[in-house]
Amino acid sequence: GESVGLHLPTLSVQEGDNSIINCAYSNSASDYFIWYKQESGKGPQFIIDIRSNMDKRQGQRVTVLLNKTVKHLSLQIAATQPGDSAVYFCAETFTGYSTLTFGKGTMLLVSP
Amino acid sequence: GAGVSQSPSNKVTEKGKDVELRCDPISGHTALYWYRQSLGQGLEFLIYFQGNSAPDKSGLPSDRFSAERTGGSVSTLTIQRTQQEDSAVYLCASSLAGGTGNSYTFGSGTRLTVV
């Protein structure tokens, strides 16, 4: 079936850099997307979400961009900190469907 | 409660044994989900409960897997005759309601190891 995928399995950055994590989705019917952060030994934690009627949404130090034309989603983290080191998952769903479909995740490693 | 609680946090079992994993969702959350996360993989949907509706069992990998939710609150995931390929982290999540637009709150998971 259709699923969400990620381009980079591991991303290594220096503290203070901006990080960009990418996600490609294949279900054109998807209209709601979420980014989760998972630290070691913990469950995924909600970061930010975006609906398909938006191209961009900003939170604290994070921005999600949605390009529906190419079915691409990205998470931008500004001034990356060591505490941002984790696995990041994108997830998708669509109106009328009750469950989220998750990608495989990208590990972000932040060096001091 | 303040968050989604799962127990046990770790479980080691012998191949062929049955195991039960428990999930206490956030109070008032009507939707409850079970996912499985294998090493280095994404989250695989298993089952979804919404209120008193019949659960969506479409993600259960075999008939050895079953789940129930009593009183619209606590849920138990049961794996019978465990196999080594069942080793994974089993994550439970809850949300205010099912359907688009509701993000999940996850528990910390149960790490199951079948030896």
Side-chain angles (χ1 to χ4, degrees), chain B residues 56-100:
Chain B
D56 176 357
K57 304 179 182 180
S58 61
L60 295 178
S62 77
D63 59 7
R64 297 187 295 104
F65 288 72
S66 63
E68 60 180 22
R69 189 179 185 191
T70 55
S73 181
V74 173
S75 178
T76 301
L77 177 68
T78 301
I79 309 173
Q80 296 178 309
R81 305 181 301 282
T82 52
Q83 304 294 313
Q84 288 186 328
E85 60 263 28
D86 299 334
S87 296
V89 175
Y90 289 82
L91 290 162
C92 176
S94 68
S95 66
L96 277 171
T100 306

Short mmCIF file of all heavy atoms in Angstrom, two decimals, chain B residues 56-100:
data_model
loop_
_atom_site.label_atom_id
_atom_site.label_comp_id
_atom_site.label_asym_id
_atom_site.label_seq_id
_atom_site.Cartn_x
_atom_site.Cartn_y
_atom_site.Cartn_z
N ASP B 56 -10.86 -1.40 14.67
CA ASP B 56 -10.23 -1.61 13.36
C ASP B 56 -9.02 -2.52 13.58
O ASP B 56 -8.00 -2.07 14.08
CB ASP B 56 -9.81 -0.27 12.76
CG ASP B 56 -9.06 -0.41 11.44
OD1 ASP B 56 -8.79 -1.55 11.01
OD2 ASP B 56 -8.73 0.63 10.85
N LYS B 57 -9.15 -3.77 13.19
CA LYS B 57 -8.10 -4.76 13.44
C LYS B 57 -7.24 -5.00 12.20
O LYS B 57 -6.49 -5.98 12.15
CB LYS B 57 -8.73 -6.10 13.85
CG LYS B 57 -9.63 -6.02 15.05
CD LYS B 57 -10.20 -7.39 15.36
CE LYS B 57 -11.15 -7.36 16.54
NZ LYS B 57 -11.71 -8.71 16.84
N SER B 58 -7.35 -4.14 11.22
CA SER B 58 -6.75 -4.40 9.92
C SER B 58 -5.23 -4.52 9.95
O SER B 58 -4.64 -5.07 9.03
CB SER B 58 -7.16 -3.31 8.93
OG SER B 58 -6.72 -2.05 9.36
N GLY B 59 -4.59 -4.01 11.00
CA GLY B 59 -3.13 -4.06 11.06
C GLY B 59 -2.55 -5.25 11.81
O GLY B 59 -1.34 -5.45 11.81
N LEU B 60 -3.40 -6.04 12.43
CA LEU B 60 -2.89 -7.18 13.19
C LEU B 60 -2.21 -8.17 12.23
O LEU B 60 -2.83 -8.60 11.25
CB LEU B 60 -4.01 -7.86 13.96
CG LEU B 60 -4.65 -7.03 15.06
CD1 LEU B 60 -5.78 -7.80 15.74
CD2 LEU B 60 -3.61 -6.60 16.10
N PRO B 61 -0.97 -8.55 12.50
CA PRO B 61 -0.21 -9.37 11.53
C PRO B 61 -0.64 -10.82 11.44
O PRO B 61 -0.38 -11.47 10.42
CB PRO B 61 1.23 -9.24 12.03
CG PRO B 61 1.11 -8.93 13.48
CD PRO B 61 -0.13 -8.13 13.64
N SER B 62 -1.24 -11.35 12.48
CA SER B 62 -1.69 -12.74 12.44
C SER B 62 -2.76 -12.94 13.50
O SER B 62 -3.01 -12.06 14.33
CB SER B 62 -0.51 -13.69 12.69
OG SER B 62 -0.17 -13.73 14.07
N ASP B 63 -3.39 -14.11 13.47
CA ASP B 63 -4.43 -14.39 14.46
C ASP B 63 -3.85 -14.69 15.84
O ASP B 63 -4.60 -14.94 16.78
CB ASP B 63 -5.33 -15.54 13.99
CG ASP B 63 -4.57 -16.83 13.74
OD1 ASP B 63 -3.36 -16.89 14.06
OD2 ASP B 63 -5.16 -17.78 13.21
N ARG B 64 -2.53 -14.65 15.97
CA ARG B 64 -1.94 -14.79 17.31
C ARG B 64 -2.06 -13.50 18.09
O ARG B 64 -1.86 -13.48 19.29
CB ARG B 64 -0.46 -15.19 17.19
CG ARG B 64 -0.21 -16.53 16.54
CD ARG B 64 1.27 -16.92 16.62
NE ARG B 64 2.13 -16.02 15.84
CZ ARG B 64 2.90 -15.09 16.37
NH1 ARG B 64 2.94 -14.93 17.69
NH2 ARG B 64 3.67 -14.35 15.59
N PHE B 65 -2.35 -12.42 17.38
CA PHE B 65 -2.46 -11.10 18.01
C PHE B 65 -3.93 -10.76 18.24
O PHE B 65 -4.77 -10.93 17.34
CB PHE B 65 -1.85 -10.02 17.11
CG PHE B 65 -0.36 -10.05 17.02
CD1 PHE B 65 0.30 -11.04 16.32
CD2 PHE B 65 0.40 -9.07 17.66
CE1 PHE B 65 1.68 -11.07 16.25
CE2 PHE B 65 1.78 -9.08 17.58
CZ PHE B 65 2.43 -10.07 16.88
N SER B 66 -4.24 -10.26 19.42
CA SER B 66 -5.58 -9.78 19.71
C SER B 66 -5.49 -8.65 20.71
O SER B 66 -4.47 -8.48 21.39
CB SER B 66 -6.46 -10.91 20.26
OG SER B 66 -5.94 -11.38 21.49
N ALA B 67 -6.53 -7.87 20.79
CA ALA B 67 -6.54 -6.77 21.75
C ALA B 67 -7.97 -6.51 22.17
O ALA B 67 -8.91 -6.77 21.42
CB ALA B 67 -5.94 -5.50 21.15
N GLU B 68 -8.10 -6.02 23.38
CA GLU B 68 -9.41 -5.61 23.86
C GLU B 68 -9.26 -4.33 24.65
O GLU B 68 -8.17 -3.98 25.13
CB GLU B 68 -10.05 -6.71 24.71
CG GLU B 68 -9.27 -7.11 25.93
CD GLU B 68 -9.99 -8.20 26.73
OE1 GLU B 68 -10.83 -8.92 26.13
OE2 GLU B 68 -9.73 -8.33 27.93
N ARG B 69 -10.38 -3.67 24.77
CA ARG B 69 -10.42 -2.43 25.54
C ARG B 69 -11.66 -2.48 26.42
O ARG B 69 -12.79 -2.47 25.93
CB ARG B 69 -10.48 -1.21 24.62
CG ARG B 69 -10.31 0.10 25.37
CD ARG B 69 -10.34 1.29 24.45
NE ARG B 69 -10.06 2.52 25.20
CZ ARG B 69 -10.22 3.74 24.71
NH1 ARG B 69 -10.67 3.91 23.48
NH2 ARG B 69 -9.94 4.79 25.46
N THR B 70 -11.42 -2.54 27.71
CA THR B 70 -12.51 -2.70 28.66
C THR B 70 -13.00 -1.35 29.16
O THR B 70 -12.19 -0.49 29.54
CB THR B 70 -12.06 -3.56 29.85
OG1 THR B 70 -10.89 -2.98 30.42
CG2 THR B 70 -11.74 -4.96 29.38
N GLY B 71 -14.31 -1.17 29.16
CA GLY B 71 -14.90 0.04 29.70
C GLY B 71 -14.47 1.31 29.00
O GLY B 71 -14.56 2.41 29.57
N GLY B 72 -14.00 1.17 27.78
CA GLY B 72 -13.58 2.36 27.04
C GLY B 72 -12.33 3.00 27.56
O GLY B 72 -12.01 4.14 27.21
N SER B 73 -11.58 2.27 28.40
CA SER B 73 -10.37 2.87 28.97
C SER B 73 -9.16 1.97 28.71
O SER B 73 -8.59 1.99 27.63
CB SER B 73 -10.57 3.13 30.46
OG SER B 73 -9.42 3.72 31.01
N VAL B 74 -8.81 1.15 29.69
CA VAL B 74 -7.61 0.33 29.62
C VAL B 74 -7.70 -0.67 28.45
O VAL B 74 -8.75 -1.23 28.18
CB VAL B 74 -7.42 -0.43 30.94
CG1 VAL B 74 -6.27 -1.44 30.84
CG2 VAL B 74 -7.17 0.55 32.08
N SER B 75 -6.56 -0.86 27.80
CA SER B 75 -6.49 -1.83 26.71
C SER B 75 -5.38 -2.84 26.99
O SER B 75 -4.35 -2.50 27.58
CB SER B 75 -6.23 -1.12 25.38
OG SER B 75 -6.11 -2.07 24.32
N THR B 76 -5.63 -4.06 26.53
CA THR B 76 -4.64 -5.12 26.65
C THR B 76 -4.38 -5.71 25.26
O THR B 76 -5.32 -6.07 24.56
CB THR B 76 -5.12 -6.24 27.59
OG1 THR B 76 -5.38 -5.69 28.87
CG2 THR B 76 -4.06 -7.33 27.71
N LEU B 77 -3.12 -5.78 24.90
CA LEU B 77 -2.70 -6.44 23.65
C LEU B 77 -2.13 -7.79 24.02
O LEU B 77 -1.22 -7.87 24.86
CB LEU B 77 -1.66 -5.60 22.92
CG LEU B 77 -1.07 -6.19 21.64
CD1 LEU B 77 -2.12 -6.24 20.53
CD2 LEU B 77 0.14 -5.38 21.17
N THR B 78 -2.67 -8.84 23.46
CA THR B 78 -2.24 -10.20 23.76
C THR B 78 -1.59 -10.82 22.53
O THR B 78 -2.13 -10.73 21.42
CB THR B 78 -3.43 -11.08 24.20
OG1 THR B 78 -4.03 -10.49 25.37
CG2 THR B 78 -2.96 -12.49 24.55
N ILE B 79 -0.43 -11.40 22.75
CA ILE B 79 0.26 -12.14 21.69
C ILE B 79 0.37 -13.58 22.16
O ILE B 79 0.99 -13.85 23.20
CB ILE B 79 1.65 -11.56 21.37
CG1 ILE B 79 1.58 -10.06 21.13
CG2 ILE B 79 2.24 -12.27 20.16
CD1 ILE B 79 2.94 -9.39 20.98
N GLN B 80 -0.23 -14.48 21.42
CA GLN B 80 -0.19 -15.89 21.78
C GLN B 80 0.95 -16.59 21.03
O GLN B 80 1.31 -16.20 19.91
CB GLN B 80 -1.51 -16.56 21.42
CG GLN B 80 -2.70 -16.01 22.20
CD GLN B 80 -4.01 -16.67 21.79
OE1 GLN B 80 -4.34 -16.73 20.60
NE2 GLN B 80 -4.76 -17.17 22.76
N ARG B 81 1.50 -17.59 21.68
CA ARG B 81 2.53 -18.43 21.05
C ARG B 81 3.60 -17.55 20.39
O ARG B 81 3.85 -17.63 19.19
CB ARG B 81 1.90 -19.37 20.03
CG ARG B 81 0.79 -20.24 20.61
CD ARG B 81 0.21 -21.19 19.55
NE ARG B 81 -0.33 -20.48 18.39
CZ ARG B 81 -1.51 -19.87 18.37
NH1 ARG B 81 -2.28 -19.87 19.44
NH2 ARG B 81 -1.93 -19.28 17.26
N THR B 82 4.23 -16.71 21.20
CA THR B 82 5.16 -15.72 20.67
C THR B 82 6.26 -16.35 19.82
O THR B 82 6.74 -17.45 20.09
CB THR B 82 5.80 -14.90 21.80
OG1 THR B 82 6.35 -15.80 22.77
CG2 THR B 82 4.79 -13.98 22.46
N GLN B 83 6.66 -15.60 18.80
CA GLN B 83 7.74 -15.97 17.91
C GLN B 83 8.84 -14.90 18.01
O GLN B 83 8.59 -13.77 18.43
CB GLN B 83 7.23 -16.06 16.46
CG GLN B 83 6.06 -17.01 16.28
CD GLN B 83 6.47 -18.44 16.53
OE1 GLN B 83 7.49 -18.91 16.04
NE2 GLN B 83 5.66 -19.16 17.32
N GLN B 84 10.03 -15.25 17.56
CA GLN B 84 11.14 -14.30 17.65
C GLN B 84 10.88 -13.04 16.84
O GLN B 84 11.30 -11.95 17.23
CB GLN B 84 12.44 -14.97 17.21
CG GLN B 84 12.96 -15.97 18.23
CD GLN B 84 14.32 -16.54 17.89
OE1 GLN B 84 14.65 -16.68 16.72
NE2 GLN B 84 15.10 -16.87 18.90
N GLU B 85 10.16 -13.17 15.74
CA GLU B 85 9.88 -11.99 14.92
C GLU B 85 8.88 -11.04 15.58
O GLU B 85 8.65 -9.93 15.07
CB GLU B 85 9.35 -12.40 13.54
CG GLU B 85 8.06 -13.20 13.56
CD GLU B 85 8.32 -14.69 13.46
OE1 GLU B 85 9.40 -15.14 13.91
OE2 GLU B 85 7.43 -15.40 12.94
N ASP B 86 8.31 -11.46 16.71
CA ASP B 86 7.42 -10.57 17.46
C ASP B 86 8.22 -9.57 18.31
O ASP B 86 7.63 -8.63 18.86
CB ASP B 86 6.48 -11.36 18.38
CG ASP B 86 5.58 -12.31 17.62
OD1 ASP B 86 5.29 -12.06 16.43
OD2 ASP B 86 5.16 -13.33 18.22
N SER B 87 9.51 -9.79 18.43
CA SER B 87 10.34 -8.89 19.23
C SER B 87 10.30 -7.49 18.62
O SER B 87 10.59 -7.30 17.44
CB SER B 87 11.79 -9.39 19.26
OG SER B 87 11.88 -10.64 19.91
N ALA B 88 9.92 -6.53 19.44
CA ALA B 88 9.74 -5.15 18.98
C ALA B 88 9.35 -4.31 20.18
O ALA B 88 9.14 -4.82 21.28
CB ALA B 88 8.65 -5.07 17.90
N VAL B 89 9.23 -3.01 19.94
CA VAL B 89 8.64 -2.12 20.93
C VAL B 89 7.17 -1.92 20.54
O VAL B 89 6.87 -1.55 19.40
CB VAL B 89 9.36 -0.77 20.99
CG1 VAL B 89 8.64 0.17 21.96
CG2 VAL B 89 10.81 -0.95 21.43
N TYR B 90 6.29 -2.18 21.49
CA TYR B 90 4.86 -2.03 21.25
C TYR B 90 4.41 -0.72 21.89
O TYR B 90 4.52 -0.53 23.09
CB TYR B 90 4.09 -3.23 21.79
CG TYR B 90 4.35 -4.46 20.96
CD1 TYR B 90 5.50 -5.22 21.15
CD2 TYR B 90 3.49 -4.82 19.94
CE1 TYR B 90 5.78 -6.32 20.35
CE2 TYR B 90 3.75 -5.93 19.12
CZ TYR B 90 4.90 -6.67 19.34
OH TYR B 90 5.17 -7.75 18.54
N LEU B 91 3.93 0.17 21.05
CA LEU B 91 3.55 1.51 21.48
C LEU B 91 2.04 1.66 21.48
O LEU B 91 1.36 1.24 20.55
CB LEU B 91 4.16 2.56 20.55
CG LEU B 91 5.67 2.74 20.63
CD1 LEU B 91 6.19 3.45 19.40
CD2 LEU B 91 6.05 3.51 21.89
N CYS B 92 1.56 2.28 22.50
CA CYS B 92 0.14 2.60 22.61
C CYS B 92 0.01 4.13 22.55
O CYS B 92 0.87 4.87 23.03
CB CYS B 92 -0.41 2.08 23.93
SG CYS B 92 -2.13 2.52 24.26
N ALA B 93 -1.04 4.59 21.93
CA ALA B 93 -1.31 6.03 21.86
C ALA B 93 -2.80 6.27 22.06
O ALA B 93 -3.63 5.38 21.80
CB ALA B 93 -0.87 6.59 20.51
N SER B 94 -3.13 7.45 22.53
CA SER B 94 -4.54 7.81 22.64
C SER B 94 -4.73 9.22 22.10
O SER B 94 -3.78 10.01 21.99
CB SER B 94 -5.04 7.71 24.08
OG SER B 94 -4.46 8.69 24.91
N SER B 95 -5.96 9.52 21.72
CA SER B 95 -6.31 10.86 21.27
C SER B 95 -7.73 11.16 21.70
O SER B 95 -8.51 10.25 22.02
CB SER B 95 -6.14 11.00 19.76
OG SER B 95 -7.05 10.20 19.06
N LEU B 96 -8.06 12.45 21.67
CA LEU B 96 -9.38 12.87 22.13
C LEU B 96 -10.50 12.17 21.37
O LEU B 96 -11.51 11.81 21.93
CB LEU B 96 -9.53 14.39 22.00
CG LEU B 96 -8.94 15.22 23.14
CD1 LEU B 96 -8.95 16.69 22.77
CD2 LEU B 96 -9.71 14.98 24.43
N ALA B 97 -10.30 12.02 20.08
CA ALA B 97 -11.28 11.34 19.25
C ALA B 97 -10.56 10.80 18.06
O ALA B 97 -9.43 11.20 17.76
CB ALA B 97 -12.39 12.30 18.82
N GLY B 98 -11.18 9.88 17.38
CA GLY B 98 -10.57 9.37 16.17
C GLY B 98 -10.78 10.33 15.03
O GLY B 98 -11.49 11.32 15.15
N GLY B 99 -10.15 10.06 13.94
CA GLY B 99 -10.38 10.88 12.76
C GLY B 99 -9.30 11.91 12.53
O GLY B 99 -8.45 12.18 13.38
N THR B 100 -9.32 12.52 11.39
CA THR B 100 -8.29 13.48 10.98
C THR B 100 -8.25 14.67 11.92
O THR B 100 -9.26 15.16 12.39
CB THR B 100 -8.61 13.98 9.56
OG1 THR B 100 -8.77 12.87 8.71
CG2 THR B 100 -7.50 14.86 9.05
#
